[in-house]
Amino acid sequence: MITKNLLMTHGDPLGTIQKLLKEVWIKADLDGFVAAKNGDHYESWRSLIVEHPDQLDEINPFRPLMRFNIARYLPELARERRGKRYGILLRPCEMRAYNAMQEKGGPEWDQGITVCFDCLGTFPKQEFEWRAERKGSSEELARETLQFARQGGIAAYRYRSACQMCASPNAQAADVNIGVIGLPVRKYLLVEIGDREAGKRIRSDLITDGQMDSGLLNQRERVLSRLTQRNRLVSERVTSSLAGLMPMDLEEFLTHLEACGDCQACMENCPICALKFPRRDDTGRYLAQDVSDWLLSCTGCGMCEQACPGHKPLSAIFRQLRIQIEEQSYAM
């Protein structure tokens, strides 16, 4: 059973979250945390390892910049650090990627802890840098973003396209879910503790301040419903505007991929492909089943589109093809 508790922030939501992560580290007896310290691009999972609880003070999960999907680095980390217990701090799309990878057989996390937090949206790199400069620092921009959590965030029309079309921006499916959307974060956060064995070790009664009020939970659900409805409409509008420009089915998409030649930037930045890379046949054409599996596993993080040198609207393309493949499978 998932427990929905509140955590009082006393005017400092970020500091409260950093303290919560430290307590999770200690109570779960972790060897470290896997988290993005500053949002920059990483060449190795080693850059993501937080070795000491005090280093969690460098973590700001609400910094509105996403340069990579952490789940992409987890298979290699799991192989090299087998037997270690790590906490993994993930955005909702990263959590979905982690779960999709688990369904495909990896990576295994020997009693580790997953922590997911509500995502208030992320900007393209240049937009982020411009806004951070105007605010004086990236920390001030992140603080402003968090201040608008009760309304569901700000400037959504300037977010990365994947964020604008995100169907599930709320934290879920982790051992610990941290909720801020729809809540007065200068007073309270939502902390959900899952019922997996790893989550039970944390003891929510020791790190939270009681059960969340039903009125606050209802308020949160209303804001989340509004956000997902808005994102669905954006997705439909983008798809409609690209009609005639996007591949209409899987076979046409395979032709598009073939035209990309040796460029595999979308796959090299995809967490799903880190576990299973689509194969080609003797003619160089990607195998339809492999690409279909890839599309069906897509979690909407938008790393493919962000990496594409041709600036193709891959978030919209993947979403539309995924829906089409699912409908065809259901009809069969």
Side-chain angles (χ1 to χ4, degrees), residues 7 10 27 50 59 62 85 90 94 109 118 161 174 176 179 190 228 234 263 266 268 282 294 320-321 327:
L7 182 61
H10 305 288
K27 294 185 183 305
V50 180
I59 302 299
F62 301 101
R85 293 187 298 272
L90 303 167
E94 293 172 322
W109 285 106
D118 284 353
S161 59
V176 181
L190 171 66
T228 54
V234 169
C263 178
C266 57
E268 290 169 353
D282 293 339
W294 177 33
Q320 189 63 20
L321 290 176
E327 289 176 346

Side-chain angles (χ1 to χ4, degrees), residues 160-168 227-243 246 300 305 313-323:
R160 294 185 308 121
S161 59
C163 294
Q164 293 186 46
M165 295 186 286
C166 181
S168 302
L227 283 179
T228 54
Q229 171 71 358
R230 182 196 68 193
N231 292 357
R232 183 182 64 80
L233 292 174
V234 169
S235 180
E236 292 175 353
R237 185 168 65 249
V238 171
T239 300
S240 177
S241 68
L242 293 173
M246 295 197 307
E305 179 173 321
L314 294 178
S315 295
I317 292 174
F318 277 33
R319 179 185 181 279
Q320 189 63 20
L321 290 176
R322 184 172 66 252
I323 292 173

Side-chain angles (χ1 to χ4, degrees), residues 99-214:
N99 287 332
M101 295 164 79
Q102 291 289 96
E103 292 175 2
K104 293 179 179 295
E108 293 297 332
W109 285 106
D110 307 314
Q111 298 301 308
I113 295 287
T114 53
V115 181
C116 187
F117 57 93
D118 284 353
C119 183
L120 297 167
T122 61
F123 297 110
K125 185 174 183 291
Q126 288 186 335
E127 178 79 13
F128 170 83
E129 291 174 345
W130 177 77
R131 288 177 176 271
E133 183 178 358
R134 289 188 65 198
K135 285 295 174 183
S137 69
S138 60
E139 289 74 18
E140 284 299 317
L141 179 58
R143 188 173 292 109
E144 179 188 64
T145 300
L146 191 54
Q147 285 175 351
F148 283 86
R150 190 169 189 171
Q151 292 79 27
I154 55 174
Y157 68 99
R158 303 303 295 268
Y159 291 158
R160 294 185 308 121
S161 59
C163 294
Q164 293 186 46
M165 295 186 286
C166 181
S168 302
N170 56 304
Q172 56 183 318
D175 296 312
V176 181
N177 299 305
I178 301 173
V180 297
I181 292 177
L183 299 176
V185 295
R186 291 186 61 80
K187 294 182 178 180
Y188 312 109
L189 302 171
L190 171 66
V191 179
E192 296 180 347
I193 306 294
D195 58 0
R196 200 169 69 92
E197 189 61 35
K200 292 178 182 178
R201 300 203 313 270
I202 298 172
R203 290 289 304 278
S204 62
D205 58 311
L206 298 179
I207 61 176
T208 58
D209 299 304
Q211 197 167 14
M212 177 66 79
D213 177 76
S214 60

